[in-house]
mmCIF file of all heavy atoms in Angstrom:
data_model
loop_
_atom_site.group_PDB
_atom_site.id
_atom_site.type_symbol
_atom_site.label_atom_id
_atom_site.label_comp_id
_atom_site.label_asym_id
_atom_site.label_seq_id
_atom_site.Cartn_x
_atom_site.Cartn_y
_atom_site.Cartn_z
ATOM 1 N N VAL A 17 2.175 5.797 3.269
ATOM 2 C CA VAL A 17 2.267 4.516 2.573
ATOM 3 C C VAL A 17 1.054 4.382 1.666
ATOM 4 O O VAL A 17 -0.083 4.619 2.096
ATOM 5 C CB VAL A 17 2.305 3.343 3.575
ATOM 6 C CG1 VAL A 17 2.416 2.015 2.839
ATOM 7 C CG2 VAL A 17 3.475 3.510 4.546
ATOM 8 N N PHE A 18 1.284 4.007 0.436
ATOM 9 C CA PHE A 18 0.190 3.844 -0.520
ATOM 10 C C PHE A 18 -0.378 2.433 -0.397
ATOM 11 O O PHE A 18 0.354 1.448 -0.470
ATOM 12 C CB PHE A 18 0.687 4.109 -1.942
ATOM 13 C CG PHE A 18 1.046 5.547 -2.182
ATOM 14 C CD1 PHE A 18 2.325 6.012 -1.914
ATOM 15 C CD2 PHE A 18 0.096 6.450 -2.642
ATOM 16 C CE1 PHE A 18 2.665 7.335 -2.112
ATOM 17 C CE2 PHE A 18 0.431 7.776 -2.840
ATOM 18 C CZ PHE A 18 1.708 8.234 -2.577
ATOM 19 N N ASP A 19 -1.678 2.370 -0.189
ATOM 20 C CA ASP A 19 -2.340 1.086 0.037
ATOM 21 C C ASP A 19 -2.678 0.428 -1.301
ATOM 22 O O ASP A 19 -3.665 0.766 -1.939
ATOM 23 C CB ASP A 19 -3.611 1.301 0.863
ATOM 24 C CG ASP A 19 -4.293 -0.007 1.227
ATOM 25 O OD1 ASP A 19 -3.634 -1.054 1.097
ATOM 26 O OD2 ASP A 19 -5.461 0.033 1.636
ATOM 27 N N LEU A 20 -1.847 -0.511 -1.710
ATOM 28 C CA LEU A 20 -2.031 -1.183 -2.998
ATOM 29 C C LEU A 20 -2.750 -2.521 -2.862
ATOM 30 O O LEU A 20 -3.161 -3.100 -3.858
ATOM 31 C CB LEU A 20 -0.662 -1.418 -3.659
ATOM 32 C CG LEU A 20 0.226 -0.176 -3.847
ATOM 33 C CD1 LEU A 20 1.541 -0.575 -4.494
ATOM 34 C CD2 LEU A 20 -0.489 0.873 -4.685
ATOM 35 N N VAL A 21 -2.895 -3.029 -1.652
ATOM 36 C CA VAL A 21 -3.472 -4.365 -1.478
ATOM 37 C C VAL A 21 -4.782 -4.365 -0.696
ATOM 38 O O VAL A 21 -5.387 -5.415 -0.497
ATOM 39 C CB VAL A 21 -2.469 -5.315 -0.784
ATOM 40 C CG1 VAL A 21 -1.222 -5.472 -1.627
ATOM 41 C CG2 VAL A 21 -2.116 -4.814 0.608
ATOM 42 N N GLY A 22 -5.225 -3.198 -0.240
ATOM 43 C CA GLY A 22 -6.504 -3.153 0.469
ATOM 44 C C GLY A 22 -6.355 -3.421 1.952
ATOM 45 O O GLY A 22 -6.760 -4.462 2.449
ATOM 46 N N LEU A 23 -5.743 -2.472 2.650
ATOM 47 C CA LEU A 23 -5.538 -2.610 4.085
ATOM 48 C C LEU A 23 -6.862 -2.485 4.823
ATOM 49 O O LEU A 23 -7.718 -1.678 4.475
ATOM 50 C CB LEU A 23 -4.576 -1.528 4.569
ATOM 51 C CG LEU A 23 -4.211 -1.512 6.049
ATOM 52 C CD1 LEU A 23 -3.465 -2.778 6.421
ATOM 53 C CD2 LEU A 23 -3.349 -0.295 6.356
ATOM 54 N N GLN A 24 -7.023 -3.279 5.865
ATOM 55 C CA GLN A 24 -8.258 -3.242 6.651
ATOM 56 C C GLN A 24 -8.249 -2.043 7.592
ATOM 57 O O GLN A 24 -7.305 -1.800 8.317
ATOM 58 C CB GLN A 24 -8.407 -4.524 7.472
ATOM 59 C CG GLN A 24 -9.640 -4.515 8.368
ATOM 60 C CD GLN A 24 -9.769 -5.788 9.176
ATOM 61 O OE1 GLN A 24 -9.080 -6.760 8.913
ATOM 62 N NE2 GLN A 24 -10.638 -5.773 10.162
ATOM 63 N N ILE A 25 -9.347 -1.290 7.575
ATOM 64 C CA ILE A 25 -9.505 -0.168 8.491
ATOM 65 C C ILE A 25 -10.014 -0.699 9.821
ATOM 66 O O ILE A 25 -11.018 -1.412 9.876
ATOM 67 C CB ILE A 25 -10.496 0.875 7.921
ATOM 68 C CG1 ILE A 25 -9.936 1.491 6.633
ATOM 69 C CG2 ILE A 25 -10.778 1.965 8.945
ATOM 70 C CD1 ILE A 25 -10.889 2.452 5.964
ATOM 71 N N ASN A 26 -9.325 -0.357 10.913
ATOM 72 C CA ASN A 26 -9.714 -0.848 12.236
ATOM 73 C C ASN A 26 -10.630 0.103 12.987
ATOM 74 O O ASN A 26 -10.979 -0.150 14.136
ATOM 75 C CB ASN A 26 -8.465 -1.132 13.078
ATOM 76 C CG ASN A 26 -7.765 -2.400 12.632
ATOM 77 O OD1 ASN A 26 -8.409 -3.325 12.144
ATOM 78 N ND2 ASN A 26 -6.459 -2.444 12.781
ATOM 79 N N GLY A 27 -11.003 1.207 12.343
ATOM 80 C CA GLY A 27 -11.893 2.164 12.980
ATOM 81 C C GLY A 27 -11.553 3.572 12.542
ATOM 82 O O GLY A 27 -10.838 3.779 11.551
ATOM 83 N N TYR A 28 -12.057 4.563 13.315
ATOM 84 C CA TYR A 28 -11.846 5.968 12.966
ATOM 85 C C TYR A 28 -11.464 6.765 14.202
ATOM 86 O O TYR A 28 -11.957 6.518 15.304
ATOM 87 C CB TYR A 28 -13.113 6.573 12.350
ATOM 88 C CG TYR A 28 -13.497 5.940 11.034
ATOM 89 C CD1 TYR A 28 -14.265 4.784 10.996
ATOM 90 C CD2 TYR A 28 -13.067 6.483 9.824
ATOM 91 C CE1 TYR A 28 -14.604 4.188 9.787
ATOM 92 C CE2 TYR A 28 -13.404 5.896 8.614
ATOM 93 C CZ TYR A 28 -14.168 4.747 8.605
ATOM 94 O OH TYR A 28 -14.496 4.157 7.409
ATOM 95 N N VAL A 29 -10.568 7.725 14.004
ATOM 96 C CA VAL A 29 -10.153 8.632 15.069
ATOM 97 C C VAL A 29 -10.229 10.056 14.516
ATOM 98 O O VAL A 29 -9.562 10.371 13.529
ATOM 99 C CB VAL A 29 -8.716 8.339 15.548
ATOM 100 C CG1 VAL A 29 -8.267 9.383 16.572
ATOM 101 C CG2 VAL A 29 -8.621 6.952 16.137
ATOM 102 N N GLY A 30 -11.067 10.888 15.131
ATOM 103 C CA GLY A 30 -11.185 12.269 14.678
ATOM 104 C C GLY A 30 -11.618 12.402 13.238
ATOM 105 O O GLY A 30 -11.217 13.343 12.546
ATOM 106 N N GLY A 31 -12.409 11.456 12.753
ATOM 107 C CA GLY A 31 -12.891 11.514 11.381
ATOM 108 C C GLY A 31 -11.975 10.865 10.364
ATOM 109 O O GLY A 31 -12.343 10.714 9.198
ATOM 110 N N ASP A 32 -10.769 10.458 10.793
ATOM 111 C CA ASP A 32 -9.813 9.830 9.875
ATOM 112 C C ASP A 32 -9.775 8.319 10.085
ATOM 113 O O ASP A 32 -9.906 7.843 11.221
ATOM 114 C CB ASP A 32 -8.407 10.397 10.101
ATOM 115 C CG ASP A 32 -8.322 11.878 9.778
ATOM 116 O OD1 ASP A 32 -8.984 12.288 8.803
ATOM 117 O OD2 ASP A 32 -7.613 12.610 10.493
ATOM 118 N N PRO A 33 -9.573 7.554 9.017
ATOM 119 C CA PRO A 33 -9.478 6.094 9.174
ATOM 120 C C PRO A 33 -8.238 5.723 9.968
ATOM 121 O O PRO A 33 -7.197 6.363 9.860
ATOM 122 C CB PRO A 33 -9.397 5.582 7.728
ATOM 123 C CG PRO A 33 -8.928 6.745 6.924
ATOM 124 C CD PRO A 33 -9.451 7.964 7.607
ATOM 125 N N TYR A 34 -8.376 4.683 10.791
ATOM 126 C CA TYR A 34 -7.266 4.209 11.624
ATOM 127 C C TYR A 34 -6.911 2.791 11.201
ATOM 128 O O TYR A 34 -7.763 1.902 11.181
ATOM 129 C CB TYR A 34 -7.653 4.238 13.104
ATOM 130 C CG TYR A 34 -6.575 3.684 13.999
ATOM 131 C CD1 TYR A 34 -5.421 4.414 14.248
ATOM 132 C CD2 TYR A 34 -6.693 2.424 14.571
ATOM 133 C CE1 TYR A 34 -4.419 3.910 15.054
ATOM 134 C CE2 TYR A 34 -5.689 1.911 15.378
ATOM 135 C CZ TYR A 34 -4.563 2.659 15.609
ATOM 136 O OH TYR A 34 -3.564 2.146 16.398
ATOM 137 N N TYR A 35 -5.611 2.578 10.863
ATOM 138 C CA TYR A 35 -5.163 1.290 10.352
ATOM 139 C C TYR A 35 -4.284 0.522 11.346
ATOM 140 O O TYR A 35 -3.909 -0.614 11.089
ATOM 141 C CB TYR A 35 -4.350 1.493 9.067
ATOM 142 C CG TYR A 35 -5.117 2.137 7.933
ATOM 143 C CD1 TYR A 35 -5.085 3.517 7.742
ATOM 144 C CD2 TYR A 35 -5.881 1.366 7.066
ATOM 145 C CE1 TYR A 35 -5.786 4.109 6.701
ATOM 146 C CE2 TYR A 35 -6.585 1.951 6.026
ATOM 147 C CZ TYR A 35 -6.534 3.327 5.840
ATOM 148 O OH TYR A 35 -7.235 3.915 4.819
ATOM 149 N N GLY A 36 -3.937 1.139 12.457
ATOM 150 C CA GLY A 36 -2.986 0.526 13.378
ATOM 151 C C GLY A 36 -3.610 -0.530 14.281
ATOM 152 O O GLY A 36 -4.786 -0.872 14.185
ATOM 153 N N ASN A 37 -2.786 -1.037 15.198
ATOM 154 C CA ASN A 37 -3.237 -2.052 16.146
ATOM 155 C C ASN A 37 -4.147 -1.433 17.201
ATOM 156 O O ASN A 37 -4.042 -0.248 17.515
ATOM 157 C CB ASN A 37 -2.039 -2.720 16.820
ATOM 158 C CG ASN A 37 -1.215 -3.527 15.839
ATOM 159 O OD1 ASN A 37 -1.756 -4.099 14.899
ATOM 160 N ND2 ASN A 37 0.084 -3.584 16.056
ATOM 161 N N VAL A 38 -5.026 -2.244 17.754
ATOM 162 C CA VAL A 38 -5.950 -1.775 18.778
ATOM 163 C C VAL A 38 -5.936 -2.732 19.966
ATOM 164 O O VAL A 38 -5.482 -3.868 19.863
ATOM 165 C CB VAL A 38 -7.397 -1.669 18.237
ATOM 166 C CG1 VAL A 38 -7.476 -0.652 17.130
ATOM 167 C CG2 VAL A 38 -7.914 -3.028 17.767
ATOM 168 N N PHE A 39 -6.417 -2.236 21.120
ATOM 169 C CA PHE A 39 -6.641 -3.105 22.267
ATOM 170 C C PHE A 39 -8.001 -2.736 22.852
ATOM 171 O O PHE A 39 -8.583 -1.708 22.511
ATOM 172 C CB PHE A 39 -5.522 -2.956 23.307
ATOM 173 C CG PHE A 39 -5.476 -1.614 23.985
ATOM 174 C CD1 PHE A 39 -6.185 -1.373 25.162
ATOM 175 C CD2 PHE A 39 -4.707 -0.575 23.459
ATOM 176 C CE1 PHE A 39 -6.134 -0.145 25.791
ATOM 177 C CE2 PHE A 39 -4.660 0.662 24.088
ATOM 178 C CZ PHE A 39 -5.374 0.871 25.260
ATOM 179 N N PHE A 40 -8.529 -3.596 23.708
ATOM 180 C CA PHE A 40 -9.870 -3.390 24.244
ATOM 181 C C PHE A 40 -9.847 -3.254 25.764
ATOM 182 O O PHE A 40 -9.130 -3.973 26.454
ATOM 183 C CB PHE A 40 -10.789 -4.560 23.856
ATOM 184 C CG PHE A 40 -11.124 -4.592 22.397
ATOM 185 C CD1 PHE A 40 -10.263 -5.174 21.479
ATOM 186 C CD2 PHE A 40 -12.293 -4.025 21.928
ATOM 187 C CE1 PHE A 40 -10.560 -5.203 20.132
ATOM 188 C CE2 PHE A 40 -12.613 -4.045 20.580
ATOM 189 C CZ PHE A 40 -11.748 -4.630 19.679
ATOM 190 N N GLU A 41 -10.617 -2.309 26.276
ATOM 191 C CA GLU A 41 -10.874 -2.165 27.705
ATOM 192 C C GLU A 41 -12.379 -2.239 27.880
ATOM 193 O O GLU A 41 -13.107 -1.384 27.377
ATOM 194 C CB GLU A 41 -10.378 -0.802 28.217
ATOM 195 C CG GLU A 41 -8.899 -0.721 28.491
ATOM 196 C CD GLU A 41 -8.468 -1.459 29.740
ATOM 197 O OE1 GLU A 41 -9.339 -1.890 30.516
ATOM 198 O OE2 GLU A 41 -7.253 -1.605 29.927
ATOM 199 N N ASN A 42 -12.842 -3.273 28.566
ATOM 200 C CA ASN A 42 -14.285 -3.428 28.780
ATOM 201 C C ASN A 42 -15.060 -3.386 27.464
ATOM 202 O O ASN A 42 -16.133 -2.782 27.368
ATOM 203 C CB ASN A 42 -14.799 -2.331 29.711
ATOM 204 C CG ASN A 42 -14.559 -2.683 31.165
ATOM 205 O OD1 ASN A 42 -13.860 -3.644 31.467
ATOM 206 N ND2 ASN A 42 -15.128 -1.922 32.052
ATOM 207 N N GLY A 43 -14.481 -3.984 26.436
ATOM 208 C CA GLY A 43 -15.166 -4.040 25.157
ATOM 209 C C GLY A 43 -15.053 -2.784 24.320
ATOM 210 O O GLY A 43 -15.609 -2.710 23.229
ATOM 211 N N VAL A 44 -14.340 -1.763 24.816
ATOM 212 C CA VAL A 44 -14.176 -0.513 24.080
ATOM 213 C C VAL A 44 -12.808 -0.522 23.401
ATOM 214 O O VAL A 44 -11.806 -0.906 23.994
ATOM 215 C CB VAL A 44 -14.302 0.696 25.026
ATOM 216 C CG1 VAL A 44 -14.121 1.995 24.242
ATOM 217 C CG2 VAL A 44 -15.667 0.683 25.700
ATOM 218 N N LYS A 45 -12.785 -0.072 22.158
ATOM 219 C CA LYS A 45 -11.581 -0.148 21.325
ATOM 220 C C LYS A 45 -10.702 1.091 21.505
ATOM 221 O O LYS A 45 -11.184 2.220 21.442
ATOM 222 C CB LYS A 45 -12.006 -0.285 19.862
ATOM 223 C CG LYS A 45 -10.894 -0.691 18.906
ATOM 224 C CD LYS A 45 -11.371 -0.635 17.457
ATOM 225 C CE LYS A 45 -12.636 -1.406 17.220
ATOM 226 N NZ LYS A 45 -13.036 -1.354 15.785
ATOM 227 N N TYR A 46 -9.390 0.863 21.713
ATOM 228 C CA TYR A 46 -8.438 1.963 21.874
ATOM 229 C C TYR A 46 -7.200 1.729 21.014
ATOM 230 O O TYR A 46 -6.856 0.594 20.687
ATOM 231 C CB TYR A 46 -7.975 2.089 23.332
ATOM 232 C CG TYR A 46 -9.064 2.431 24.315
ATOM 233 C CD1 TYR A 46 -9.674 1.438 25.079
ATOM 234 C CD2 TYR A 46 -9.474 3.745 24.486
ATOM 235 C CE1 TYR A 46 -10.671 1.740 25.988
ATOM 236 C CE2 TYR A 46 -10.467 4.057 25.391
ATOM 237 C CZ TYR A 46 -11.065 3.061 26.137
ATOM 238 O OH TYR A 46 -12.050 3.364 27.029
ATOM 239 N N ALA A 47 -6.514 2.845 20.715
ATOM 240 C CA ALA A 47 -5.205 2.787 20.078
ATOM 241 C C ALA A 47 -4.200 3.408 21.023
ATOM 242 O O ALA A 47 -4.557 4.195 21.904
ATOM 243 C CB ALA A 47 -5.223 3.568 18.765
ATOM 244 N N GLY A 48 -2.913 3.061 20.857
ATOM 245 C CA GLY A 48 -1.890 3.653 21.700
ATOM 246 C C GLY A 48 -1.569 2.802 22.910
ATOM 247 O O GLY A 48 -1.727 1.587 22.899
ATOM 248 N N MET A 49 -1.125 3.457 24.002
ATOM 249 C CA MET A 49 -0.733 2.771 25.227
ATOM 250 C C MET A 49 -1.934 2.631 26.152
ATOM 251 O O MET A 49 -2.860 3.435 26.119
ATOM 252 C CB MET A 49 0.386 3.550 25.944
ATOM 253 C CG MET A 49 1.606 3.795 25.058
ATOM 254 S SD MET A 49 2.386 2.262 24.489
ATOM 255 C CE MET A 49 3.044 1.656 26.037
ATOM 256 N N ARG A 50 -1.893 1.632 27.020
ATOM 257 C CA ARG A 50 -3.059 1.329 27.848
ATOM 258 C C ARG A 50 -3.450 2.461 28.793
ATOM 259 O O ARG A 50 -4.614 2.627 29.106
ATOM 260 C CB ARG A 50 -2.831 0.041 28.634
ATOM 261 C CG ARG A 50 -2.976 -1.175 27.759
ATOM 262 C CD ARG A 50 -3.174 -2.438 28.557
ATOM 263 N NE ARG A 50 -3.454 -3.553 27.670
ATOM 264 C CZ ARG A 50 -4.659 -3.926 27.281
ATOM 265 N NH1 ARG A 50 -5.715 -3.269 27.701
ATOM 266 N NH2 ARG A 50 -4.826 -4.940 26.474
ATOM 267 N N ASN A 51 -2.507 3.226 29.307
ATOM 268 C CA ASN A 51 -2.865 4.270 30.263
ATOM 269 C C ASN A 51 -3.157 5.611 29.602
ATOM 270 O O ASN A 51 -3.602 6.545 30.246
ATOM 271 C CB ASN A 51 -1.761 4.446 31.304
ATOM 272 C CG ASN A 51 -1.651 3.238 32.205
ATOM 273 O OD1 ASN A 51 -2.652 2.587 32.491
ATOM 274 N ND2 ASN A 51 -0.449 2.923 32.646
#
């Protein structure tokens, strides 16, 4: 998807920007499923 409006980066995974949803465990940011 081409970012024409300036999507917010939620962090980085393996050196690549991550744009998806995140959740927190003990204040630590994760992507994907909780387990």
Side-chain angles (χ1 to χ4, degrees):
V17 181
F18 292 88
D19 184 16
L20 305 179
V21 299
L23 181 64
Q24 177 180 348
I25 296 176
N26 286 330
Y28 296 85
V29 175
D32 296 323
Y34 177 74
Y35 299 93
N37 294 327
V38 297
F39 67 90
F40 290 84
E41 280 287 350
N42 278 10
V44 180
K45 193 187 307 182
Y46 297 98
M49 304 299 291
R50 284 197 174 270
N51 292 327

